[in-house]
Every structure is written in structure tokens, then in C-alpha cells.
Amino acid sequence: MIKYPMISVIIPSYNQGGYLEETILSVLNQNYSSLELIIIDGKSKDNSIDIIKKYSNSITYWVSEQDRGQSHAINKGMDIASGEYIAFLNSDDCYLPGYLNAIAKQLIESKKQIDFIYSNVGLVGPEIKNATLFKSRKISTLKAHNLLKFFYSVDYIIPSQSVLMHRDLVRKVEYFKEDLHYCMDLDYYVRCALQKPICQVYTQPSYFFRINEFTKTSTQKIKMYEEAIMLVEIYKNRLGILQKFNLERLVAFENQFRHIREYNEYLISVKKLLRLLVLSPVHSLYDRRYLGLWKRLFFGSRDILS
């Protein structure tokens, strides 16, 4: 009889009663035989506890108590998790049907221990029924210098909703940093990448990432950008010389571009755009937003790509 690896799924939650049931069901309906479901609630004030109790017979462990935020909740779950593989799923996101069994099958068929599993394809939107397909196009391999480019483009994102990590890797990387509030998963995956783990990429749609006007991704873009830039400064000296140089040039380009874009359109000058072109010719010529600024300068178009 084939033995499936135990997978511990940690759901950190706070006042997400509107979405929590859908998230829980997306895990339970995987019908995965070796599942450990852990819910760490931050003492929600909505109907979250009623929902958790409704499924308590299928939940391995749950608690509702004051915590220090999302990272702290995940860390508490990691202390409890006993699975060979550990995952965390935000309380408004979902697994797509069959994901855990498909991953387990690949793990069993592999002749070596896989340390880090993720998918680069999923669904994104306010509701799963009208979500759109999204593919992270720049993460075919887990490399720290690529992950750190998240500040520049979401094409470099690792969808946390799809990640499973072997507990040996988790022991090495240890806890999520509680002083990070927007890019804690990015920081964790960079630290994973620096361990040079054996990775596997699942190339079929595996997750649903909810994004609406209330999610951090929509409401805290500037703070998320600033935290992502801070992570570049923290980790750039652990990269190769060329990787560090290219990353610093990309940061300089993006900062200058954002500065120019904030100006009133009538103040954008050829001089400013040419200066940016000289600073980063490759990035400028391949960046549609930069070309959009030229379009706005000469044709007065306001539909600049963000």
C-alpha cells in the first residue's frame, strides 16, 4: 500500500468569517488521506469561531487567542505541525480541487527528497467563480536574486497559496519574521532559496488568490513596495557580484521611474525620460510603463500602465 506523506496545512486567520468556510472546505475537499489541518485564529470578533466549530471534527488543531499578527500565527502553527510537508494558506484563499493529491503523487514518484514545491499557475480575482488565470512567468526556478525582483513585477512572485516545504528545510530556515507585515512570505522564500533546496514546480492551476479592494495587495501597495526594497538591501550582499549589480540597477531604475511618474503629466520632460534611459537602457526599452510615459508626453494619453 502506498504511503502518502503527511501534509500540515496552517490557516492563520483574523476576522475573515466571510471567506473562512470556503478556505476550510477547499482543504477538506482535497480528500487527502494524510492531512493535518491547523487553524490559528487571532481572537476574531466576527463569526469565524462558529465556522471553525462547524468543522472541528475535521480540524486537527485550532485555537483562538490574541497574537502578534499573521507571521506570529504561522509560527505558532509551525510549532504544532507534525507533517513531513508544511504549507500555509491565507484564510481568504483556496486550493483548487486535486492539488494535494497531485503533488503527493509526484513526491512519491520522485527518487529523491523534494524540499520545496510550488505552482506558478493559479486563479486570481475577487471570487473564484469569475477569477482569471494568472501565471508567474519569471519563477521557473527558485533563485533568490529573482525572488527579490518582486518589487519590480508580480511575475517574480512565488504564490504562497501553492507552497509546500519539507520540514527539514523549515527547521533550517526557522520562523517567519514577525517584524515584516507585507513581504514576510517573500523573505521566507528568499531564505529558503539561499539554502539551495531541491525544488519541484507544479505547472497546472493549483490555487485561488483572492484580491479585492480590502486585501493588502490592493490597499497597501506603497508599504509593500518599501518592504520589498528593504529586503533587497538585506540580502543583496549574499548574491553573486553580477546578480547584486543587476539588482541594484533595477532598484535605481524603479525608484527613478516612480519619481517621474508622480509628476503632473505636463511636467514630464524629454530630459527626465532620457536621463532614465541612460541610467538603465535595457530596463527602459523593455518596460511598457516607460514607453507609456513617452506616449503621454507626446500624445497626452492618460491610460498609463501601472
Side-chain angles (χ1 to χ4, degrees), residues 167-214:
R167 67 179 304 104
D168 289 346
L169 178 63
V170 171
R171 286 194 188 103
K172 292 178 183 177
V173 179
E174 299 183 331
Y175 292 118
F176 281 72
K177 293 182 179 178
E178 294 181 21
D179 58 338
L180 298 176
H181 303 288
Y182 307 98
C183 298
M184 60 285 236
D185 49 350
L186 170 61
D187 172 83
Y188 200 86
Y189 300 152
V190 169
R191 286 188 280 145
C192 285
L194 291 172
Q195 295 290 331
K196 302 187 184 305
I198 297 174
C199 298
Q200 184 166 289
V201 183
Y202 185 73
T203 57
Q204 299 298 316
S206 65
Y207 66 88
F208 165 61
F209 171 45
R210 191 182 307 276
I211 182 168
N212 54 42
E213 66 270 25
F214 303 110

Side-chain angles (χ1 to χ4, degrees), residues 290-302:
Y290 174 81
L291 300 177
L293 289 180
W294 280 105
K295 179 181 177 182
R296 190 169 81 179
L297 178 64
F298 287 110
F299 301 105
S301 174
R302 296 176 181 268

Side-chain angles (χ1 to χ4, degrees), residues 38-218:
I38 298 168
I39 301 179
I40 309 296
D41 180 81
K43 206 170 184 178
S44 291
K45 299 176 182 178
D46 60 3
N47 64 331
S48 294
I49 304 307
D50 293 334
I51 293 170
I52 293 171
K53 288 181 176 179
K54 180 179 177 180
Y55 297 99
S56 60
N57 290 338
S58 300
I59 298 170
T60 308
Y61 174 89
W62 72 273
V63 69
S64 180
E65 60 188 15
Q66 196 79 35
D67 57 39
R68 298 189 294 270
Q70 185 178 2
S71 293
H72 183 219
I74 295 171
N75 290 338
K76 288 165 62 177
M78 290 167 69
D79 279 338
I80 296 164
S82 62
E84 183 178 355
Y85 286 90
I86 297 173
F88 72 92
L89 186 65
N90 292 331
S91 52
D92 56 351
D93 298 333
C94 298
Y95 288 138
L96 296 185
Y99 179 52
L100 295 185
N101 279 291
I103 286 297
K105 183 179 178 181
Q106 292 185 4
L107 292 172
I108 292 168
E109 292 174 350
S110 176
K111 296 182 180 180
K112 54 188 175 182
Q113 177 178 303
I114 305 299
D115 302 310
F116 193 98
I117 305 103
Y118 65 98
S119 171
N120 61 355
V121 186
L123 300 178
V124 176
E127 300 292 338
I128 196 168
K129 61 184 179 182
N130 54 11
T132 57
L133 193 68
F134 174 80
K135 183 173 183 179
S136 301
R137 302 182 183 278
K138 304 290 187 179
I139 56 160
S140 57
T141 58
L142 188 73
K143 302 293 184 183
H145 67 277
N146 275 340
L147 297 179
L148 288 169
K149 295 176 184 175
F150 167 65
F151 71 88
Y152 177 70
S153 171
V154 294
D155 280 338
Y156 293 98
I157 197 171
I158 289 279
S160 62
Q161 303 83 357
S162 71
V163 172
L164 286 82
M165 299 170 288
H166 195 278
R167 67 179 304 104
D168 289 346
L169 178 63
V170 171
R171 286 194 188 103
K172 292 178 183 177
V173 179
E174 299 183 331
Y175 292 118
F176 281 72
K177 293 182 179 178
E178 294 181 21
D179 58 338
L180 298 176
H181 303 288
Y182 307 98
C183 298
M184 60 285 236
D185 49 350
L186 170 61
D187 172 83
Y188 200 86
Y189 300 152
V190 169
R191 286 188 280 145
C192 285
L194 291 172
Q195 295 290 331
K196 302 187 184 305
I198 297 174
C199 298
Q200 184 166 289
V201 183
Y202 185 73
T203 57
Q204 299 298 316
S206 65
Y207 66 88
F208 165 61
F209 171 45
R210 191 182 307 276
I211 182 168
N212 54 42
E213 66 270 25
F214 303 110
T215 56
K216 286 182 184 178
T217 309
S218 297

Side-chain angles (χ1 to χ4, degrees), residues 218-248:
S218 297
T219 62
Q220 304 290 340
K221 286 184 177 180
I222 295 177
K223 291 182 180 179
M224 185 175 293
Y225 173 77
E226 291 172 347
E227 199 163 271
I229 292 293
M230 181 183 72
L231 293 181
V232 172
E233 293 300 312
I234 291 173
Y235 293 109
K236 67 181 183 181
N237 289 328
R238 299 182 65 178
L239 306 176
I241 295 174
L242 184 58
Q243 294 169 348
K244 176 184 175 181
F245 174 78
N246 288 335
L247 198 57
E248 288 177 331

